[in-house]
């Protein structure tokens, strides 16, 4: 019998938890000059410690935030998305979450955003998820409805607005945009069903995580914020009413999303708007976000992805490194059953590790930093003195000069 080993098995199947997971160097690697002790630090820097969420294990604590790419036609994923997301999943991230997918055609942010409102979208997404899994990556999908910030009538132009833009109330985002149509109770139930059907398609496509987009002034956030929610029925007014749409939507998604698969919610933890005569409360607040997180934990949400803003042009955002991290810390301190993700000007591995080491967040989410450096995790191993698995195909690119020599 031939002893020939087909090299394709080696190159297609990554070992263990895959690229980005901390491993001990082999004897051969030690001989090549990698690390004097041939041991990783004990304990490992927390950024490289696995995290188990339901039936899913993240190999490290670095996740790619959803980033809109505006590169779709009729909501379909393309070769671009396979290459773009495939690169990220190969390069060691604990989790890669794909950009906001419209749960309905009119729910897209732009005419060129991805969608998952029909079964025909599933096939291309299966290819992307399968590629991620072949490289031992975990992959998520963000489900969204843009509400009064949607713009999707004519795919030949980005400027034409729909005349049936939807929102909780007839309140425009700013004077240059259409005033939305306030949703009826039947409309609300239809949109919630759209989220549930999208979740079923996401499962069929092979995604590991769903994140519901409840931030940045899109529909779920529009219901939460008194800036955009002027309803006088059971979906408006007091806190319990304004959170109803979000809680009911989460409940419908959790009912159809497999029990072993995690469910995240991205929240704008504050609108960053100062109280005024026009907006007496200053909008949605950190305190309300924390109370909502406690409720969402009981509804089967596993992690709150803590972002901010997006409801009003008057927002004043105090940008600085890690400026949103304290919101994740507030969730962790007040809602111990809920994991929290930090996002916002996190730009290097030491900063990211300090956030999780100091228990300020459980996961860090990166966006622009990954566009600048898709190998953030692999490069960060050297920064933190960790020996981690590389993609087999890229092993020759490992930079020994920045590691410790024998």
């Amino acid at each position: 019998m031939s002893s020939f080993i087909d090299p394709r098995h080696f190159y297609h199947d990554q070992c263990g938890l895959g690229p980005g997971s901390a491993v001990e160097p082999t004897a051969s690697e030690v001989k090549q000059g990698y690390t004097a002790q041939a041991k990783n630090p004990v304990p490992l820097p927390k950024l490289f410690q696995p995290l188990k969420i339901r039936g899913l294990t993240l190999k490290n604590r670095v996740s790619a935030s959803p980033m809109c790419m505006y590169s779709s036609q009729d909501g379909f994923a393309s070769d671009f998305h396979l290459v773009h997301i495939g690169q990220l999943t190969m390069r060691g991230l604990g989790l890669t979450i794909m950009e906001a997918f419209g749960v309905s055609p009119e729910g897209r942010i732009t005419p060129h955003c991805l969608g998952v409102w029909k079964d025909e979208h599933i096939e291309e997404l299966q290819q992307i998820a399968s590629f991620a899994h072949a490289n031992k990556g975990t992959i998520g999908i963000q489900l969204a409805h843009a509400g009064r910030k949607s713009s999707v009538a004519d795919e030949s132009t980005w400027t034409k607005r729909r005349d049936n833009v939807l929102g909780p109330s007839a309140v425009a985002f700013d004077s240059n945009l259409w005033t939305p149509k306030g949703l009826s109770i039947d409309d609300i139930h239809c949109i919630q069903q759209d989220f549930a059907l999208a979740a079923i398609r996401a499962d069929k496509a092979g995604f590991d995580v769903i994140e519901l987009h409840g931030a940045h002034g899109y529909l779920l956030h529009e219901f939460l914020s008194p800036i955009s929610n002027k309803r006088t029925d059971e979906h408006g007014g007091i806190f319990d009413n304004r959170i109803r749409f979000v809680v009911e939507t989460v409940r419908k998604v959790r009912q159809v999303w497999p029990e072993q698969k995690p469910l995240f919610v991205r929240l704008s933890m504050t609108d960053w708007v100062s109280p005024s005569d026009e907006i007496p409360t200053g909008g949605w607040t950190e305190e309300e976000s924390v109370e909502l997180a406690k409720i969402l934990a009981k509804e089967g949400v596993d992690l709150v992805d803590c972002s901010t803003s997006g409801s009003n042009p008057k927002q004043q955002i105090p940008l600085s490194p890690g400026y949103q991290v304290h919101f994740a810390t507030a969730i962790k301190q007040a809602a111990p059953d809920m994991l929290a993700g930090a996002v916002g000007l996190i730009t290097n591995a030491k900063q990211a590790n300090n956030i999780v080491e100091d228990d300020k967040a459980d996961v860090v989410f990166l966006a622009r930093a990954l566009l600048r450096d898709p190998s953030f995790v692999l490069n960060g191993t050297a920064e933190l003195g960790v020996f981690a698995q590389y993609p087999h195909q890229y092993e020759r690119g490992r930079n020994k000069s920045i590691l410790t020599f024998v």
Side-chain angles (χ1 to χ4, degrees):
M1 178 180 292
S2 171
S3 60
F4 174 76
I5 298 175
D6 188 339
R8 289 176 298 180
H9 295 302
F10 175 78
Y11 282 108
H12 288 182
D13 297 324
Q14 309 290 348
C15 300
L17 291 178
S21 59
V23 295
E24 299 300 341
T26 65
S28 173
E29 287 165 335
V30 172
K31 289 180 180 179
Q32 293 176 50
Y34 294 114
T35 154
Q37 294 79 28
K39 293 288 184 182
N40 269 319
V42 179
L44 274 171
K46 196 170 183 180
L47 195 67
F48 285 93
Q49 293 178 18
L51 176 64
K52 184 174 174 57
I53 312 175
R54 293 185 184 255
L56 184 69
T57 297
L58 306 185
K59 64 186 113 180
N60 59 54
R61 310 298 182 95
V62 185
S63 174
S65 282
M67 292 177 274
C68 290
M69 293 286 113
Y70 315 115
S71 299
S72 172
Q73 294 293 328
D74 193 28
F76 282 92
S78 66
D79 289 348
F80 166 80
H81 298 95
L82 174 61
V83 173
H84 168 61
I85 296 299
Q87 278 286 303
L88 294 177
T89 61
M90 283 183 65
R91 292 175 183 267
L93 291 162
L95 173 65
T96 300
I97 302 181
M98 289 188 70
E99 64 193 84
F101 282 69
V103 299
S104 61
E106 63 274 12
R108 286 174 289 172
I109 301 168
T110 76
H112 299 293
C113 287
L114 286 166
V116 65
W117 65 81
K118 55 186 176 182
D119 290 346
E120 288 80 2
H121 288 140
I122 294 173
E123 184 177 356
E124 285 79 5
L125 299 177
Q126 284 176 328
Q127 184 181 12
I128 296 170
S130 294
F131 184 88
H133 294 153
N135 287 279
K136 298 296 180 73
T138 56
I139 186 166
I141 181 173
Q142 187 184 64
L143 303 183
H145 191 297
R148 64 181 184 156
K149 295 175 81 171
S150 61
S151 56
V152 227
D154 183 354
E155 297 208 6
S156 67
T157 174
W158 289 52
T159 57
K160 183 177 179 181
R161 303 290 301 193
R162 289 189 73 93
D163 58 5
N164 63 340
V165 171
L166 304 174
S169 311
V171 180
F173 179 67
D174 66 37
S175 59
N176 296 318
L177 303 182
W178 291 96
T179 298
K181 169 192 170 186
L183 293 166
S184 69
I185 296 298
D186 285 344
D187 292 331
I188 287 173
H189 293 161
C190 285
I191 291 173
Q192 290 173 332
Q193 183 64 11
D194 288 339
F195 272 95
L197 292 172
I200 292 171
R201 295 186 188 104
D203 182 43
K204 290 180 179 178
F207 287 98
D208 304 300
V209 173
I210 281 177
E211 178 175 276
L212 300 182
H213 200 344
H216 302 167
Y218 301 126
L219 187 61
L220 271 68
H221 183 195
E222 290 167 21
F223 271 89
L224 296 176
S225 176
I227 292 174
S228 45
N229 186 345
K230 304 296 184 183
R231 299 177 72 97
T232 57
D233 62 2
E234 69 268 28
H235 286 90
I238 63 172
F239 171 81
D240 287 346
N241 286 353
R242 283 183 283 114
I243 69 170
R244 191 183 307 275
F245 180 80
V246 173
V247 173
E248 289 178 347
T249 303
V250 163
R251 191 173 297 153
K252 284 184 175 295
V253 168
R254 186 73 268 185
Q255 286 172 351
V256 299
W257 185 238
E259 178 67 22
Q260 74 274 16
K261 293 188 176 185
L263 176 62
F264 297 177
V265 174
R266 170 164 272 197
L267 292 179
S268 277
M269 296 285 292
T270 177
D271 285 327
W272 290 123
V273 175
S274 299
S276 63
D277 291 341
E278 180 187 357
I279 310 171
T281 65
W284 180 250
T285 66
E286 176 183 350
E287 293 74 21
E288 290 175 314
S289 292
V290 169
E291 290 306 307
L292 176 57
K294 296 176 184 177
I295 293 167
L296 294 180
K298 296 176 182 178
E299 295 291 341
V301 173
D302 301 288
L303 181 146
V304 172
D305 178 359
C306 299
S307 191
T308 60
S309 71
S311 270
N312 192 280
K314 294 181 179 180
Q315 63 193 20
Q316 296 293 319
I317 304 173
L319 295 175
S320 63
Y323 70 102
Q324 296 177 132
V325 172
H326 69 278
F327 294 113
T329 309
I331 295 287
K332 284 183 62 61
Q333 292 176 345
D337 294 333
M338 179 69 76
L339 298 172
V343 62
L345 292 180
I346 300 169
T347 56
N348 63 75
K350 287 184 178 178
Q351 178 195 15
N353 186 60
N354 288 340
I355 290 167
V356 293
E357 287 279 7
D358 294 342
D359 209 28
K360 294 177 179 178
D362 299 288
V363 177
V364 294
F365 288 86
L366 309 179
R368 290 172 178 83
L370 289 175
L371 296 180
R372 292 188 291 267
D373 179 13
S375 294
F376 180 98
V377 171
L378 300 178
N379 292 333
T381 59
E383 191 175 345
L384 296 174
V386 172
F387 193 88
Q389 184 175 327
Y390 258 55
H392 296 314
Q393 299 91 333
Y394 293 174
E395 186 65 48
R396 285 169 292 184
R398 188 192 287 273
N399 188 349
K400 290 192 290 186
S401 67
I402 56 177
L403 298 173
T404 305
F405 281 95
V406 174

